[in-house]
Amino acid sequence: MFGSPQRGVNAYAKVGLETGIAAASPHKLIVMLYDGAIVAILNGITQMKAGNIEEKGKAISKAIQIIDNGLRASLDREVGGEIARNLDALYEYMSGRLLTANLQNDPAMLEEVRGLLADLRDTWKQIGDEPAGSAPVRTPAMAHG
């Protein structure tokens, strides 16, 4: 009659995520994309080690979608210049590694991409934590529209 408790938890989490997205700055949205991709990869590693092929594939596919349709799609290649080109190439590399990791059941490749994403996330977060006007370098590589 009321559904499972897990269903209620999932609904609550979804509302929290949607509220966070609606209230987030463009900078925070990029951090959220990095977080989502990292969580998906960690889930992929867990599922891979457990031998759950279907869930492993779903998790890795989710990470690839976040990288390709979120992070890569947010790059402003005209304004971003070399930074945008380098990030685009790195995101392409990550997607390829994730696909290969999925096909070869290689958790080390997943961990490699997770580490790259974590480094980018930390750097991006530090840029956003700087007080306005004190950031030494502007990064126009990300579109804000």
Side-chain angles (χ1 to χ4, degrees):
M1 178 167 147
F2 294 108
S4 72
Q6 186 60 39
R7 186 172 175 199
V9 169
N10 289 341
Y12 181 78
K14 184 177 180 188
V15 168
L17 177 63
E18 289 171 357
T19 303
I21 290 171
S25 69
H27 186 279
K28 176 69 175 164
L29 289 173
I30 298 298
V31 173
M32 292 172 77
L33 288 170
Y34 283 129
D35 288 343
I38 290 167
V39 168
I41 290 170
L42 291 171
N43 187 27
I45 292 169
T46 300
Q47 298 301 331
M48 185 180 286
K49 290 180 178 178
N52 190 340
I53 294 169
E54 183 179 349
E55 292 301 314
K56 170 202 72 163
K58 285 180 185 177
I60 294 172
S61 292
K62 182 176 182 178
I64 292 170
Q65 287 177 350
I66 292 169
I67 291 168
D68 288 346
N69 300 328
L71 295 168
R72 278 185 88 185
S74 71
L75 292 173
D76 186 336
R77 289 159 186 83
E78 291 185 27
V79 176
E82 186 177 353
I83 293 171
R85 285 190 301 276
N86 289 343
L87 281 171
D88 185 56
L90 184 57
Y91 293 148
E92 183 178 7
Y93 170 79
M94 288 183 206
S95 292
R97 291 295 280 178
L98 291 173
L99 182 61
T100 302
N102 190 21
L103 295 172
Q104 295 180 0
N105 250 4
D106 188 339
M109 285 185 199
L110 294 179
E111 188 55 44
E112 173 195 2
V113 175
R114 188 215 51 82
L116 291 169
L117 286 168
D119 289 346
L120 287 170
R121 181 212 181 273
D122 292 346
T123 301
W124 189 249
K125 189 155 175 23
Q126 285 176 358
I127 292 168
D129 290 342
E130 302 247 349
S134 70
V137 178
R138 302 287 245 160
T139 55
M142 298 293 175
H144 297 292

